[in-house]
Amino acid sequence: AAAEAQAAKGPAQLNNRTKESILLIRTVLETGGSFDGIYRKVQLKPTAWTLVQAAEGGGVAEEVVKEVQVVLKYGGILTPVGVKQAEDLGHNFRNEMYPGEEGSDDGTH
């Protein structure tokens, strides 16, 4: 009932701590000009769920994520040795998981 009441009011207002956290996430993600490569990673981990009744016909209630934990990882910049090591590990993993497709670097696996 509380979730439905909040949903009826519209988006929740963010407190100052949440706003500061979001701005920090934005700053880290924008570092370096683009969000690509292996240097930054964002994980959304659900930490709380709520049951929401289907809107039409009183159908089965559905679990909906109510709260998430945002994990932002920034690993700095890899050295050339680190890039080579990561590529080698990726190739070895691909060859182990998909035997017979060795040398296939078309991005399908």
Side-chain angles (χ1 to χ4, degrees), residues 2 10 18 22 24 28 39 43 50 63 66 70 76 78 80 82-83 85 89 94 96-97 99 109:
T18 302
I22 290 171
L24 178 59
V28 170
Y39 310 118
Q43 295 174 318
T50 187
E63 273 193 316
K66 179 180 176 182
V70 178
L78 284 178
V83 170
Q85 195 174 42
L89 287 169
R94 184 180 306 113
E96 186 72 27
M97 294 302 294
H109 292 293

Side-chain angles (χ1 to χ4, degrees), residues 16-79:
N16 284 337
R17 182 175 180 205
T18 302
K19 288 178 187 176
E20 289 173 8
S21 296
I22 290 171
L23 289 174
L24 178 59
I25 290 170
R26 179 180 170 181
T27 300
V28 170
L29 292 177
E30 289 177 342
T31 300
S34 65
F35 182 63
D36 62 355
I38 59 175
Y39 310 118
R40 289 164 278 191
K41 177 178 169 180
V42 177
Q43 295 174 318
L44 300 175
K45 296 182 176 185
T47 57
W49 293 262
T50 187
L51 285 176
V52 176
Q53 194 65 35
E56 295 180 24
V60 177
E62 194 177 343
E63 273 193 316
V64 175
V65 175
K66 179 180 176 182
E67 182 179 293
V68 296
Q69 176 186 21
V70 178
V71 178
L72 177 64
K73 297 180 179 182
Y74 177 73
I77 305 301
L78 284 178
T79 64

